[in-house]
Amino acid sequence: MASTSRTILICSGKGGVGKTTLTANLGIALARLGLRTVVLDADFGLRNLDLLLGLENRIVFTAQEVLAESCRLEQALVKHKQEPNLALLPAGNPRMLEWLKPEDMQTIAGMLEKQFDYVLIDCPAGIEDGFKNAVAAAKEAIVITTPEVSAVRDADRVIGLLNTHGVKPVQLVLNRVRPKMMASQEMLAVDDVTDILALPLLGLVLEDEQVIVSTNRGEPLTLNGSSSPAARAYGNVARRLQGDDVPLIDPSKEGRGLRAKVRRLMQKKIF
Amino acid sequence: MAADQNSGLLQRLVLPPIKQAHWKDTLPDQLQRLRPGSLNLISHHWQMRCRDLSSLIKLLQGEGFRIASFHTQEPLTAISAQALGLPVQLLESDPMASDATPSDDSGDQSSDTKPDCTTQLRLHRGTLRAGEQIETAGDLLVLGDVNPGANVAAAGDVMIWGRLRGIAHAGRDGDRAAKVVALQLRPLQLRIADQVARGPDDRPQPGLAEEARIDANEIVIEPANPRLRARMSVPATD
Ligand SMILES: Nc1ncnc2c1ncn2[C@@H]1O[C@H](COP(=O)(O)OP(=O)(O)OP(=O)(O)O)[C@@H](O)[C@H]1O
Ligand SMILES: [Mg+2]
């Protein structure tokens, strides 16, 4: 099984667009599909993947001790309470940034790939050392962005870097979509984003208050079988990764107003 | 003089030198001397837009000919041909030959003539993403988009077989005859020589190539008009 292991970097360029939220929710969703999944926090500076998963208080060792060989990998892995198929490898001390090298990340990923079907790496924002370390360990990537010009620009930048590092395939998740704003053209449309980034769209996640609620609780939405739009979207991303042909939601159908719908239909015809 | 019926090799169709005759006039005669089937087409310095090319292809098809490979020395023509799905070879451009009669020496140009790009033309395949940039001392041909946040500059022309949404600078070293051509010209900023312009705000018309050039001290953007070709093909050299 280890030979089919998939190591996927979840990255964005711009900060705060939803990398950690996606990593946590996708981790749970994949685990619920019966896949052995580990999430690796590569954001050593501002680690919070443990927090989102509600595992903060169970961390004893981290990737740092594993690399220093002062503990075994099994000791550092934190198994999720309710979802035993999911484990977290916590980030070490922020000081790790000073000595961590791309090879170290490759070492860790290599160890994880032996035991897990999916290795999801939560990437730090930016394109500096933290990103470079994380990308070294990745085979494929999911780029997440919001429909904002600045986020799309940074995503484009990151995709260029992923290409030069030979990371393939690179797929796109569009987060915090607000159908009403899209319909009234106050927000970039889905087409505008995919047009520039030219990546296959792996998922479309609506703006959803439940995300924030669940974040604060340390219980990812996908954990409790929520049927909120974002929970469904994360679940669909997991199934698409597994090769299921799940249709994307159409934000225009989620929005209101006949005019917006007609306009959208016409735009589709033209392009 | 274009018909070359070397058995074994693909037959070749060489368009006449620009100054001698228009290919549209010579074509019927030339085709008479060829067997219907596949051929290599050598267009030398003819600058052809998609429209010209597709009418050429139709003419050929009507007589039972198919273009196996398309050879040109003009990047613009190469862009059009690429767009129409022809297998294109961009030939080394010989500045001396551009005004000479290309058919004279065409005899020893076989279909496997090195499709090397000129030292003056830099070819980039693929989309340029934010943060990426290319600079070149000659002309630049990008087969792909130039995204917002990407930057291209050339001492000569900038030609983009794709959408220009980043920043482009043609005539970087001051050549005011330089131009920027793209399938969609919606740059953040456009420069020709020392002139600077912001991109237009309106939505591009689909399917029309557009070009930007300096006209009376202003950068103008307009559909790349095939009827302007003749005029455009004699740029002032510095
Ligand atoms: N679909 C959504 N709907 C509503 N809020 C969301 C959604 N996705 C993310 N958020 C919120 O956006 C904020 C940032 O999310 P998150 O921490 O996942 O981003 P990040 O990309 O990991 O940030 P950083 O770059 O700082 O690591 C959080 O408060 C999260 O709850
Ligand atoms: Mg994060």
Side-chain angles (χ1 to χ4, degrees), chain A residues 36-53:
Chain A
R36 292 168 303 167
T37 306
V38 62
V39 289
L40 168 60
D41 194 348
D43 196 349
F44 298 96
L46 298 164
R47 56 183 241 189
N48 48 23
L49 185 57
D50 47 358
L51 211 97
L52 255 74
L53 286 164

Side-chain angles (χ1 to χ4, degrees), chain A residues 19-21 43 46 48 122-123:
Chain A
K19 294 178 292 297
T20 306
T21 311
D43 196 349
L46 298 164
N48 48 23
D122 183 19
C123 188

Side-chain angles (χ1 to χ4, degrees), chain B residues 134-164:
Chain B
I134 293 187
E135 268 190 60
T136 182
D139 295 330
L140 174 66
L141 171 58
V142 177
L143 301 177
D145 293 346
V146 176
N147 274 1
N151 214 314
V152 291
D157 297 340
V158 173
M159 293 159 284
I160 298 159
W161 172 245
R163 293 169 291 201
L164 170 59

Side-chain angles (χ1 to χ4, degrees), chain A residues 74-85:
Chain A
E74 282 66 29
Q75 293 175 286
L77 286 172
V78 184
K79 208 177 240 185
H80 197 274
K81 319 172 265 238
Q82 288 122 289
E83 193 42 75
N85 277 331

Side-chain angles (χ1 to χ4, degrees), chain A residues 12 14-22 43 46 48 52 122-125 144 175-177 205-209 211-212 215 230 234:
Chain A
S12 67
K14 189 170 153 71
V17 297
K19 294 178 292 297
T20 306
T21 311
L22 175 64
D43 196 349
L46 298 164
N48 48 23
L52 255 74
D122 183 19
C123 188
I144 179 166
N175 192 23
R176 308 198 77 154
V177 171
V205 186
L206 296 186
E207 172 79 25
D208 184 346
E209 317 188 317
V211 171
I212 298 160
T215 300
Y234 292 126

